[in-house]
Amino acid sequence: PLFLNQLQKDLEEVKELLTNATRKRVRDVLLAEKQKLELEIKNQPLPKPKDVAEEEKSSLGGYTVKINNYGWDQSDKFVKIYISLNGVQKLPAENVQVNFTERSFDLLVKNLNGKNYTMTFNNLLKPISVEGSSRKIKTDMVLVMCKKKREEKWDCLTQVEKESKEKEKAAYDTTDPSEGLMNILKKMYAEGDDEMKRTINKAWVESREKQYKGDIPMDI
């Protein structure tokens, strides 16, 4: 831009000299210089004005948002995922794309209120039929319909969720509540003063006595 600015100033000066020049030879030299300068200016790379479509793209479809919130339910034949997106019904249908595989799908919603939205589900719990699966655009919502390969109940949507639930269940099942209580008492005993130790010992002895008495028939 700085070099271009200099060229334009040179051209202005040549034009000014031309208006004052009276000798043909001088005028010819100045005209030749004028043409040379004009050509140089024309060939300079000008800062391009932002294309309107590009401007729209940067301000509207500029960034992508990952969708984390959804609801789901199922029928015998379909697993249905509900994704809330305000105004999605106003978009051209081709702006809402879903790609299915046997164990996954990904959703892309383009240029909705200036943003793109994506959601990906990998490792679906069970296989789905790619041909039978589809998406429906409703008011403020996209409904993804995954066609089950086999008509059976799904406990969750993905394999990861299933593994997570199984781990929780295993942890819960193996935790003995009395074991937890014993650990607390042991800690209190180890950290307590003599009074605390006596209290815990007394409670422990009384508890064992009650258990013992309860096991003996009354008529002995």
Side-chain angles (χ1 to χ4, degrees):
L2 187 64
F3 183 58
L4 180 64
N5 200 25
Q6 294 299 324
L7 287 174
Q8 283 167 336
K9 282 185 176 176
D10 288 350
L11 181 61
E12 281 166 24
E13 194 161 309
V14 167
K15 283 180 182 174
E16 202 174 311
L17 289 168
L18 263 170
T19 56
N20 298 324
T22 53
R23 306 285 300 166
K24 185 179 182 302
R25 191 172 174 183
V26 174
R27 283 184 66 81
D28 287 348
V29 170
L30 289 168
L31 278 168
E33 188 61 27
K34 176 175 172 278
Q35 286 169 348
K36 188 181 163 191
L37 283 165
E38 283 172 344
L39 191 64
E40 252 189 281
I41 289 168
K42 190 180 172 186
N43 292 333
Q44 280 294 309
L46 291 167
K48 288 180 185 174
K50 260 195 173 181
D51 183 63
V52 176
E54 276 298 308
E55 208 163 60
E56 272 186 7
K57 191 179 173 188
S58 63
S59 63
L60 293 178
Y63 59 99
T64 299
V65 179
K66 196 172 179 184
I67 303 166
N68 293 313
N69 296 325
Y70 63 90
W72 76 285
D73 68 7
Q74 59 187 310
S75 63
D76 290 342
K77 294 182 179 179
F78 288 94
V79 170
K80 306 166 192 176
I81 295 95
Y82 301 88
I83 299 120
S84 294
L85 288 166
N86 284 342
V88 70
Q89 72 279 6
K90 295 171 189 170
L91 288 178
E94 64 268 18
N95 280 32
V96 181
Q97 300 165 0
V98 183
N99 293 315
F100 296 95
T101 74
E102 194 176 67
R103 293 297 282 268
S104 75
F105 74 83
D106 60 87
L107 164 72
L108 171 62
V109 179
K110 292 195 284 190
N111 207 6
L112 173 64
N113 303 323
K115 297 169 196 165
N116 301 318
Y117 292 84
T118 63
M119 171 179 259
T120 302
F121 272 93
N122 291 317
N123 301 315
L124 289 169
L125 187 66
K126 297 175 191 291
I128 60 172
S129 159
V130 174
E131 302 78 33
S133 298
S134 61
R135 60 102 179 99
K136 292 180 180 176
I137 300 168
K138 298 179 174 289
T139 305
D140 298 334
M141 182 183 287
V142 176
L143 169 58
V144 178
M145 306 276 289
C146 297
K147 174 82 184 293
K148 294 178 180 178
K149 275 214 165 172
R150 289 168 57 191
E151 293 186 15
E152 56 188 325
K153 190 187 174 200
W154 289 25
D155 294 325
C156 47
L157 271 180
T158 64
Q159 197 65 37
V160 176
E161 279 180 71
K162 185 189 175 191
E163 285 164 15
S164 172
K165 279 185 179 178
E166 281 172 355
K167 273 183 194 166
E168 277 177 33
K169 189 173 184 292
Y172 179 76
D173 287 350
T174 55
T175 302
D176 179 357
S178 64
E179 197 177 288
L181 180 61
M182 279 301 299
N183 288 337
I184 291 167
L185 284 171
K186 281 177 188 172
K187 190 170 187 292
M188 284 169 70
Y189 190 86
E191 294 172 1
D193 56 17
D194 289 345
E195 184 64 33
M196 176 67 78
K197 285 176 181 170
R198 276 197 296 276
T199 305
I200 291 171
N201 275 331
K202 187 174 176 228
W204 178 251
V205 169
E206 284 175 1
S207 163
R208 300 302 292 167
E209 280 176 357
K210 277 181 189 169
Q211 283 181 12
Y212 181 66
K213 282 177 185 170
D215 289 340
I216 300 169
M218 293 299 288
D219 56 353
I220 288 177

